[in-house]
Amino acid sequence: MSGTLYLCATPIGNLEDMTFRAVRILQEVDLIAAEDTRNSVKLLNHFDIHTPMTSYHEYNKYDKGRKLVEKMLEGSSIALITDAGTPGISDPGEELVRMCHDAGICVTAVPGPAACITALTISGLSTRRFAFEAFLPSDKKERENVLLVLEREQRTIVLYEAPHRLVKTLKLLADRLGEDRCVSVCRELTKRHETVYRASLSEAVAYYEIHEPKGECVLVIEGMSREAIEQEEKEKWADMTIEDHMEYYLSRGLDRKEAMKKTAKDRGVPKREIYNYLEKEKS
């Protein structure tokens, strides 16, 4: 019988956030796979955990992943931990999870801290729907593709960023999403100097150009409002004549009545106004 992979969340700053279950699982498994063993040994020592540890990170995730899968197929149970937070979120752990599923190995989670959720809940922005993008891609073309999507994203957006790149990223977002878009910059989460700076993107740029940021940052950004999208749609049709607007829908198979209805909706006017205009033009 094969073993189990446990995804064990670890504190993102405050050691008191470690759960009793996480400590027990880390004590009971046969092996702990850690993103950085030098960092994780401090955590294990703090909780008096003496389970053997091995490294599993971005640069060995395929070769080491296959070895870990072999161990679990032989019956070993393994706990996966990241430097901080929940494994598998913007983390090479997602590859190990996939490999385990492909091999028929049981995967379960030991829930706990996650920086993206922690920041979202204290941001003061809408939490009902959100889009998590982790770090913006370093590749220029890939980053552009992501930004094109984010420009019209209506859900709250959650991004990670390193302190030395914060100002550059805020400037980029202000340029692409709009200077007035609201953002909450969450730093040093769960630590003594935790801060949430809530402002417009342009104000955040000005603030952090003066106050050098320290600690990993989570950006929680207001999504594009429905009103802004509707206004954008109206502006798109503004340069088109009513006749051309009608023809746009008629050429797609709509009858005259339905075409007038959609044209009026696009332009934000009553249908009667479109009807009167067309009748006047006919005469």
Side-chain angles (χ1 to χ4, degrees):
M1 185 176 177
S2 61
T4 298
L5 176 66
Y6 294 91
L7 305 178
C8 290
T10 55
I12 57 177
N14 193 321
L15 287 176
E16 292 180 358
D17 292 334
M18 189 74 166
T19 69
F20 291 114
R21 183 180 172 216
V23 172
R24 178 177 62 79
I25 293 296
L26 291 176
Q27 289 172 335
E28 292 178 353
V29 293
D30 299 298
L31 182 67
I32 296 171
E35 185 176 9
D36 186 337
T37 55
R38 295 166 301 179
N39 182 63
S40 295
V41 71
K42 301 171 187 175
L43 177 76
L44 300 188
N45 287 340
H46 182 84
F47 290 102
D48 197 28
I49 298 168
H50 305 287
T51 305
M53 194 165 36
T54 188
S55 65
Y56 175 81
H57 48 71
E58 183 65 30
Y59 304 104
N60 73 353
K61 63 183 180 182
Y62 297 111
D63 290 340
K64 178 58 72 73
R66 284 189 286 269
K67 292 177 181 177
L68 294 175
V69 166
E70 288 176 7
K71 286 182 177 293
M72 284 182 277
L73 288 174
E74 292 170 357
S76 295
S77 288
I78 296 176
L80 178 66
I81 59 175
T82 184
D83 280 349
T86 300
I89 298 180
S90 186
D91 172 83
E94 68 175 315
E95 178 61 27
L96 183 57
V97 171
R98 185 192 64 77
M99 294 170 76
C100 285
H101 281 297
D102 288 346
I105 295 168
C106 177
V107 179
T108 189
V110 181
C116 56
I117 299 299
T118 303
L120 178 67
T121 56
I122 65 174
S123 68
L125 295 171
S126 174
T127 61
R128 190 175 72 86
R129 299 169 65 239
F130 66 95
F132 174 61
E133 283 292 341
F135 290 92
L136 287 177
S138 55
D139 178 79
K140 189 174 181 180
K141 185 175 181 181
E142 190 179 350
R143 182 170 65 249
E144 177 63 22
N145 289 335
V146 171
L147 288 168
L148 285 172
V149 174
L150 294 183
E151 282 178 346
R152 297 185 62 77
E153 178 59 70
Q154 295 182 59
R155 295 169 295 179
T156 301
I157 301 163
V158 183
L159 299 173
Y160 287 162
E161 192 49 277
H164 66 279
R165 290 195 302 264
L166 178 62
V167 171
K168 182 178 180 181
T169 296
L170 287 171
K171 285 180 177 178
L172 176 62
L173 293 170
D175 179 60
R176 299 299 293 268
L177 306 184
E179 293 185 348
D180 294 333
R181 190 77 69 88
C182 185
V183 61
S184 287
V185 181
C186 306
R187 299 187 309 105
E188 300 283 76
L189 290 170
T190 74
K191 299 178 183 178
R192 178 176 296 179
H193 300 295
E194 173 183 285
T195 62
V196 179
Y197 180 75
R198 192 166 185 264
S200 68
L201 282 168
S202 60
E203 289 169 338
V205 169
Y207 180 84
Y208 285 110
E209 281 182 328
I210 298 172
H211 304 86
E212 182 182 357
K214 296 179 181 179
E216 295 300 310
C217 306
V218 184
L219 311 183
V220 186
I221 308 156
E222 178 185 25
M224 188 178 192
S225 69
R226 189 175 298 278
E227 292 76 14
I229 291 176
E230 289 174 355
Q231 182 60 35
E232 199 175 82
E233 287 295 316
K234 289 178 185 177
E235 291 172 358
K236 183 177 74 173
W237 300 110
D239 295 333
M240 185 181 287
T241 66
I242 290 177
E243 291 86 350
D244 287 343
H245 202 152
M246 283 287 292
E247 182 56 34
Y248 172 82
Y249 286 118
L250 291 171
S251 66
R252 282 160 174 74
L254 274 68
D255 61 32
R256 184 175 172 80
K257 183 178 180 181
E258 189 62 27
M260 276 196 290
K261 183 178 178 181
K262 291 188 75 66
T263 298
K265 182 179 180 182
D266 290 343
R267 302 175 87 90
V269 299
K271 187 174 72 171
R272 171 63 62 177
E273 187 173 318
I274 301 297
Y275 175 81
N276 290 340
Y277 173 86
L278 294 172
E279 287 299 304
K280 182 180 178 181
E281 289 298 303
K282 275 200 306 184
S283 61

